[in-house]
């Protein structure tokens, strides 16, 4: 089963990207996901997104997973979900504290229902396997879901990408959110090792870029 939605040529490319984001984060698969809107199925005076039936999902998530929905920030425009992976000994060793890995684009980290194209990075699976094999210590993983403002939040300078208006440049606000709001919340809510040497960040693409800020 497939569905095709057509847009007029004058429709803002940003609106098309927003449509892509909404579909991706609700588990709707569509063709031409990685191309710019002007290269999508062009038919006369309209663009088209072609949707196809989603692949089967596996809702079971490996490990002890907690989800904090619609986390609010006074620094950023959009609320976002936060997904947290807790290590195997978290419940059985109540006095133990753990290092924390923060991951941008956290919707891709563990849950196929929210990940890009339904394929996760399998962070929780990988951590569990490496811990069992004795190749790494137990850690807490915090996945920070992205938002429609991803381009703005993951860059610290403005740039012209398409159209006459610059985009990006909210990286400083995003960093404040991470340090002053999210990390503070995680350290209050979970048994973390909160010092600098036990805190790390990780990301892919723009999520990797913002790590350098």
């Amino acid at each position: 089963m497939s569905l095709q939605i057509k847009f007029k040529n004058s429709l803002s490319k940003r609106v098309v990207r927003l449509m892509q984001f909404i579909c991706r984060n609700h588990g709707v698969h569509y063709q031409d996901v990685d191309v710019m809107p002007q290269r999508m199925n062009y038919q006369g005076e309209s663009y088209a997104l072609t949707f196809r039936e989603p692949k089967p999902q596996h809702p079971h998530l490996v490990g002890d997973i907690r989800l904090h929905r619609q986390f609010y920030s006074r620094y950023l425009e959009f609320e976002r979900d936060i997904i947290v992976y807790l290590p195997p000994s978290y419940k059985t060793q109540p006095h133990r504290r753990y290092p924390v890995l923060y991951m941008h684009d956290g919707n891709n980290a563990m849950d196929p229902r929210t990940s890009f194209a339904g394929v996760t990075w399998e962070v929780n699976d990988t951590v569990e396997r490496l811990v069992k094999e004795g190749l790494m210590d137990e850690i807490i993983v915090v996945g920070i879901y992205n938002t429609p403002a991803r381009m703005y939040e993951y860059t610290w300078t403005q740039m012209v990408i398409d159209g006459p208006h610059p985009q990006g440049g909210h990286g400083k606000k995003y960093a404040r959110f991470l340090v002053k709001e999210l990390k503070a919340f995680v350290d209050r809510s979970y048994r973390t090792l909160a010092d600098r040497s036990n805190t790390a960040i990780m990301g892919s693409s723009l999520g990797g870029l913002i790590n350098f800020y």
Side-chain angles (χ1 to χ4, degrees), residues 3-5 7 16 19-20 30-31 40 47-51:
L3 171 68
Q4 188 173 83
I5 299 178
F7 303 97
V16 176
M19 282 285 297
Q20 292 176 327
Y30 52 88
Q31 296 174 356
M40 299 177 68
Y47 297 109
L49 287 176
T50 302
F51 299 86

Side-chain angles (χ1 to χ4, degrees), residues 92-209:
T92 60
Q93 299 183 29
H95 301 294
R96 183 176 175 181
R97 293 184 174 272
Y98 303 85
V100 183
L101 172 63
Y102 292 85
M103 299 194 68
H104 313 295
D105 293 317
N107 44 294
N108 296 325
M110 310 178 202
D111 192 342
R113 294 167 295 187
T114 60
S115 61
F116 180 80
V119 180
T120 77
W121 297 335
E122 299 183 348
V123 175
N124 48 332
D125 306 68
T126 303
V127 170
E128 293 254 316
R129 176 174 56 81
L130 293 177
V131 168
K132 288 180 180 179
E133 294 175 359
L135 298 177
M136 69 174 291
D137 294 330
E138 292 184 330
I139 63 171
I140 293 173
V141 180
V142 178
I144 310 153
Y145 282 36
N146 59 35
T147 74
R150 181 178 184 270
M151 175 65 71
Y152 289 83
E153 295 175 353
Y154 288 5
T155 56
W156 59 90
T157 58
Q158 290 191 329
M159 62 195 80
V160 176
I161 299 176
D162 60 80
H165 303 294
Q167 301 180 39
H170 293 178
K172 185 175 183 178
K173 294 180 180 179
Y174 182 72
R176 286 177 179 170
F177 152 71
L178 290 180
V179 175
K180 296 186 177 182
E181 295 177 327
L182 180 59
K183 186 177 186 302
F185 168 78
V186 171
D187 290 339
R188 288 195 310 268
S189 303
Y190 299 98
R191 299 194 310 274
T192 67
L193 292 170
D195 60 292
R196 183 174 183 176
S197 62
N198 286 289
T199 304
I201 54 175
M202 180 182 291
S204 170
S205 189
L206 284 178
L209 179 66

Side-chain angles (χ1 to χ4, degrees), residues 39-76:
R39 294 180 57 198
M40 299 177 68
N41 302 329
Y42 181 70
Q43 301 175 357
E45 297 182 353
S46 66
Y47 297 109
L49 287 176
T50 302
F51 299 86
R52 63 183 186 275
E53 190 172 1
K55 298 177 182 178
Q57 302 288 343
H58 301 283
H60 174 70
L61 301 180
V62 173
D64 186 354
I65 305 296
R66 313 290 175 87
L67 184 63
H68 302 275
R69 294 191 178 276
Q70 297 181 323
F71 192 91
Y72 170 78
S73 170
R74 68 181 184 272
Y75 299 110
L76 301 173

